[in-house]
Amino acid sequence: MRLVLLGAPGAGKGTQAKKLIEKFGIPQISTGDILRKAVADGTPLGKEAKIVMDKGELVPDSIVIGLVKERLAQDDCRKGYILDGFPRNTSQAETLDKVLSDMNASLDVALSVDVDKDDLMKRLTGRRTCRKCQQMYNVYFSPAKNDGICDKCGGELFQRDDDKEATIKNRLDVYEKATAPLIDYYGKKGILKSVKGVGSIDEIFSNICSILG
Ligand code: AP5
Ligand code: MG
């Protein structure tokens, strides 16, 4: 299955992708995670990306498309994948269609995870992530048992640099302007499905599984 997860920052794309990996045995390709790794590694690309990411803007298409192309060519993507955070605008979506068509493939589903804007701010300001295993927590909704320590692996929890209120506001604006039009884009292609992203994480996951069949 080749799946695109659409949704605003904080909608729960990463949270649901982690559960989908286990269920379907296909990898998650999160351009945000790939870029954050480049930032943490201090690569030239990471240094360039950090400036843009800290403002909540989109990293240039040429960079992101190159990263995705490289990732899609890897062996573990043969059975399918979950694209999380890519494509992010119409130009990325069109390029993805071309790249896939060159590989004799196409997307099966674009799944939009829908959450009202009011709920997103608390989800993002409260998010904490494990440095070691990337497990996600939320200080308001799903805190770790011991403050700052991952329940699963004991790793240190950190707050993302772009989860500050001013940056979040810009990320939400960028989403509305650049990314939300993709709902229409995939609707016209006949592969759009949507799920309500509010409620318990397990409940949402179970609805996603019913939708994906
Ligand atoms: P990216 O990493 O993709 O961030 P994002 O799109 O802003 O999305 P998030 O990761 O913030 O949200 P999510 O939907 O994954 O939510 P999560 O599951 O974590 O991108 C970051 C930056 O990288 C961009 O701003 C851009 O600069 C750059 N970038 C990335 N891709 C790019 C591209 N293609 N082109 C150009 N630039 C690109 O959940 C959030 C919180 O809510 C967590 O704390 C979680 O525990 C909690 N939560 C989840 N579900 C629930 C629930 N049901 N109830 C209560 N809380 C919940
Ligand atoms: Mg994410």
Side-chain angles (χ1 to χ4, degrees):
M1 180 177 47
R2 288 180 284 270
L3 167 72
V4 166
L5 284 181
L6 291 172
K13 302 181 295 296
T15 303
Q16 296 298 332
K18 298 261 177 310
K19 295 174 82 69
L20 288 165
I21 297 173
E22 279 176 34
K23 165 124 183 145
F24 291 98
I26 52 175
Q28 167 199 22
I29 302 177
S30 157
T31 40
D33 286 351
I34 297 172
L35 291 166
R36 275 185 292 280
K37 167 123 190 356
V39 172
D41 291 346
T43 65
L45 186 153
K47 282 181 184 142
E48 191 183 337
K50 181 167 171 48
I51 300 165
V52 183
M53 291 169 82
D54 283 351
K55 288 190 218 150
E57 302 287 337
L58 294 183
V59 172
D61 290 349
S62 55
I63 293 183
V64 181
I65 287 164
L67 293 172
V68 172
K69 259 189 181 168
E70 209 174 283
R71 185 64 187 88
L72 291 180
Q74 289 172 12
D75 265 2
D76 63 336
C77 289
R78 270 188 295 187
K79 276 190 349 195
Y81 36 78
I82 305 150
L83 286 167
D84 161 8
F86 180 91
R88 206 68 164 220
N89 56 32
T90 309
S91 150
Q92 291 183 11
E94 286 167 351
T95 308
L96 175 64
D97 286 341
K98 278 198 207 96
V99 169
L100 290 180
S101 133
D102 288 346
M103 298 167 97
N104 285 321
S106 59
L107 293 171
D108 298 304
V109 182
L111 179 69
S112 167
V113 183
D114 302 335
V115 177
D116 282 345
K117 217 171 172 176
D118 292 347
D119 295 322
L120 297 171
M121 188 56 84
K122 220 169 172 181
R123 285 199 187 182
L124 292 168
T125 52
R127 171 168 51 196
R128 301 292 183 271
T129 311
C130 175
R131 252 185 227 294
K132 235 162 107 185
C133 75
Q134 314 306 318
Q135 175 65 37
M136 241 137 12
Y137 297 87
N138 192 289
V139 296
Y140 304 111
F141 306 116
S142 51
K145 287 193 190 87
N146 296 305
D147 203 21
I149 298 167
C150 179
D151 294 351
K152 272 192 168 171
C153 76
E156 179 205 357
L157 303 187
F158 76 99
Q159 183 169 27
R160 264 169 53 174
D161 287 341
D162 60 349
D163 279 346
K164 298 190 178 81
E165 212 168 311
T167 314
I168 293 170
K169 283 200 174 114
N170 198 33
R171 283 163 61 202
L172 294 173
D173 284 349
V174 169
Y175 172 78
E176 283 304 329
K177 284 192 199 112
T179 313
L182 293 183
I183 292 177
D184 226 36
Y185 180 90
Y186 288 118
K188 284 186 182 139
K189 288 191 175 288
I191 58 164
L192 180 74
K193 307 234 160 129
S194 34
V195 67
K196 209 171 135 212
V198 187
S200 84
I201 290 169
D202 287 341
E203 210 172 70
I204 297 164
F205 182 63
S206 150
N207 290 337
I208 290 179
C209 291
S210 311
I211 289 169
L212 297 178

